[in-house]
Amino acid sequence: MKNSTFIAFLAAISFAGCAVHPQGEQEERDRAAEIGRALEDAAQPPPLSNDPSLEEYLRAAFYSSADLHARYWEWRAALERIPQEASPPNPALNFSYLFNSDNLKAWDRTTLGLANDPMNNLEVPSKLATKGRKALEEARAAGLRFEAAKFRVQAEVLSTYYDLALHRESIAIQDERVTLSEITAQESAARTQTGSMTQADLVRARTELDLAKSELENMHAQYPPLVAKMNALLGREPDAPVPMPRAFPSPRPLPADDADILKMAAERSPELAALEREIGARKEALELAKAARIPDFGLSFNFTGSVSQTVGGMLLLPLRTEAIAGGIEEARALLRAAESARTQYQRDLAASFVLDLYVLRNAERQITLFEKTIIPRTQQAVELAKASWSSGRGNRSGTIELRRMLLEARLTLAQLKSEREKALAAIESWSKLDVEALHPVRMGSAGS
């Protein structure tokens, strides 16, 4: 085989193995690899302490979430589609041997050929480059949806944690209600014996006590489902111990006005950014559809021993003009559909932020009212009623009613705090925003 022939064979085979890599692919791969290392390094997070903090719950959930891992591997799979889309077809090597020729050597009766895969034509490099860019945009969208999934996990953990904190406070308050109902029932029994209270009043007091005890039992029965929900987020057995928070967490500040939050939230939404990348992919698909007007081709190279060398070619004429026009219009319609989906999501996102901010600000207003006015005033009334009853100028039933009013105020305050924190978690989840530091957060941090 002549050197030039051998070099031509090597060049053809080398070309077949090369993909047209788009700009930015390596950066996306590096980002995915860095996150992958973090996931693998923390595949077995430290066990929860006896009194787990919110940060411990978040860390365990991030690295145990099967949904989050699924989104990560979808991202990695999307990255591996890039070289598949941007590579030319495999070469086909053919062989033939001529029999019954006494005048030729065996080598000269041997024909070797190299051509592109007969099932796939060769495309001009610009088409391969467009396919690579399209696949890269789809991979970037998958990466952003991984980020969105991470913040959904965060929101679910935060919501469940605040449910546990609220449940603890509710049980404590209900336990005090039971105590007050027991006092009322005892007094009613004593006063019924003296004739100062009717039998119907005693029945009512005992019924209230039974209902209060039943409600307390209901609250205890509602605890295991909350435990199972948190354990599902942590990747643990449903009945693994999850202690209730010892106290309601301190509220996290929101150090920005609503206009700034709305602006930053829209800019940092991972789902909205993923839709933008999908639009980019649809634009590349439109360019690819237009490129169907460019002919594809086929090449072949054959040599028969030292007797002959031939080069052949084939040009695929793009004469299916209606089909090509249909493909272009289909790609254009899909692009417009993606743009419309982005617009609608942007509107829904803005509405969600407005709603969450309204809930948050309204809860903050009511929290201030209850903490600064209603609860102190009610506590003062309870103390005055106690003093009056001790001096013989009042009755105990009035004091008990005021104490019940105070319990209702405490429960409402706990519910408002939980509502406020859940709204804040929703804002963080939708916007990939650390509202405490007002910058994008990293996986594994308390606010990530």
Side-chain angles (χ1 to χ4, degrees), residues 184-298:
T184 300
Q186 291 170 1
E187 287 194 348
S188 297
R191 293 177 67 183
T192 300
Q193 292 179 353
T194 62
S196 59
M197 182 172 286
T198 66
Q199 193 69 29
D201 292 329
L202 177 60
V203 170
R204 186 185 307 110
R206 287 177 173 173
T207 301
E208 288 179 356
L209 174 59
D210 290 339
L211 290 174
K213 289 180 176 180
S214 176
E215 181 60 24
L216 182 60
E217 292 299 321
N218 288 339
M219 289 182 177
H220 284 294
Q222 292 165 7
Y223 177 58
L226 285 175
V227 169
K229 182 179 178 181
M230 180 63 86
N231 280 325
L233 293 170
L234 303 180
R236 306 196 307 169
E237 293 297 322
D239 57 350
V242 176
M244 286 184 283
R246 293 184 178 180
F248 207 93
S250 300
R252 294 177 297 153
L254 187 58
D257 61 38
D258 293 359
D260 290 338
I261 292 171
L262 289 172
K263 181 175 181 294
M264 287 185 288
E267 291 174 350
R268 302 185 187 204
S269 167
E271 184 63 33
L272 189 60
L275 290 172
E276 291 285 357
R277 291 298 183 182
E278 287 185 349
I279 289 173
R282 296 287 174 86
K283 288 179 179 177
E284 296 295 346
L286 177 58
E287 293 302 313
L288 194 60
K290 292 178 180 178
R293 299 190 181 107
I294 301 174
D296 293 336
F297 60 94

Side-chain angles (χ1 to χ4, degrees), residues 26-277:
Q26 190 57 51
E27 290 80 356
E28 191 71 8
R29 287 182 178 275
D30 291 343
R31 193 166 75 91
E34 181 182 358
I35 292 176
R37 285 191 295 271
L39 285 173
E40 292 170 4
D41 291 343
Q44 296 295 331
L48 296 177
S49 63
N50 293 331
D51 184 22
S53 65
L54 179 55
E55 288 77 10
E56 288 182 77
Y57 283 125
L58 286 170
R59 189 180 304 110
F62 282 139
Y63 297 114
S64 302
S65 171
D67 179 64
L68 198 58
H69 281 75
R71 288 291 184 176
Y72 171 74
W73 289 113
E74 288 173 1
W75 180 18
R76 291 292 294 268
L79 283 168
E80 298 309 323
R81 284 197 292 271
I82 298 172
Q84 298 178 60
E85 294 289 336
S87 295
N90 286 318
L93 183 65
N94 59 71
F95 168 83
S96 64
Y97 185 79
L98 177 64
F99 290 98
N100 299 324
S101 179
D102 298 332
N103 298 324
L104 293 175
K105 297 178 181 180
W107 173 244
D108 291 333
R109 294 201 303 266
T110 302
T111 300
L112 294 176
L114 187 67
N116 56 283
D117 182 354
M119 300 297 294
N120 295 281
N121 296 304
L122 293 173
E123 297 175 313
V124 295
S126 62
K127 283 188 180 180
L128 295 178
T130 303
K131 286 183 175 181
R133 291 194 300 270
K134 175 178 177 291
L136 175 58
E137 290 300 306
E138 291 171 346
R140 285 169 169 167
L144 288 163
R145 290 208 161 90
F146 164 77
E147 298 251 349
K150 185 180 69 173
F151 284 91
R152 283 197 299 273
V153 171
Q154 169 188 291
E156 290 173 0
V157 172
L158 288 171
S159 178
T160 307
Y161 184 81
Y162 294 127
D163 283 340
L164 285 168
L166 176 60
H167 198 67
R168 176 191 176 280
E169 184 70 12
S170 299
I171 287 177
I173 289 172
Q174 187 62 29
D175 193 57
E176 292 186 45
R177 285 173 174 165
V178 170
T179 300
L180 293 177
S181 295
E182 287 174 341
I183 294 173
T184 300
Q186 291 170 1
E187 287 194 348
S188 297
R191 293 177 67 183
T192 300
Q193 292 179 353
T194 62
S196 59
M197 182 172 286
T198 66
Q199 193 69 29
D201 292 329
L202 177 60
V203 170
R204 186 185 307 110
R206 287 177 173 173
T207 301
E208 288 179 356
L209 174 59
D210 290 339
L211 290 174
K213 289 180 176 180
S214 176
E215 181 60 24
L216 182 60
E217 292 299 321
N218 288 339
M219 289 182 177
H220 284 294
Q222 292 165 7
Y223 177 58
L226 285 175
V227 169
K229 182 179 178 181
M230 180 63 86
N231 280 325
L233 293 170
L234 303 180
R236 306 196 307 169
E237 293 297 322
D239 57 350
V242 176
M244 286 184 283
R246 293 184 178 180
F248 207 93
S250 300
R252 294 177 297 153
L254 187 58
D257 61 38
D258 293 359
D260 290 338
I261 292 171
L262 289 172
K263 181 175 181 294
M264 287 185 288
E267 291 174 350
R268 302 185 187 204
S269 167
E271 184 63 33
L272 189 60
L275 290 172
E276 291 285 357
R277 291 298 183 182

Side-chain angles (χ1 to χ4, degrees), residues 1-2 5 104-110 303-309:
M1 184 186 296
K2 294 181 180 180
T5 304
L104 293 175
K105 297 178 181 180
W107 173 244
D108 291 333
R109 294 201 303 266
T110 302
F303 70 89
T304 304
S306 58
V307 176
S308 66
Q309 295 85 36

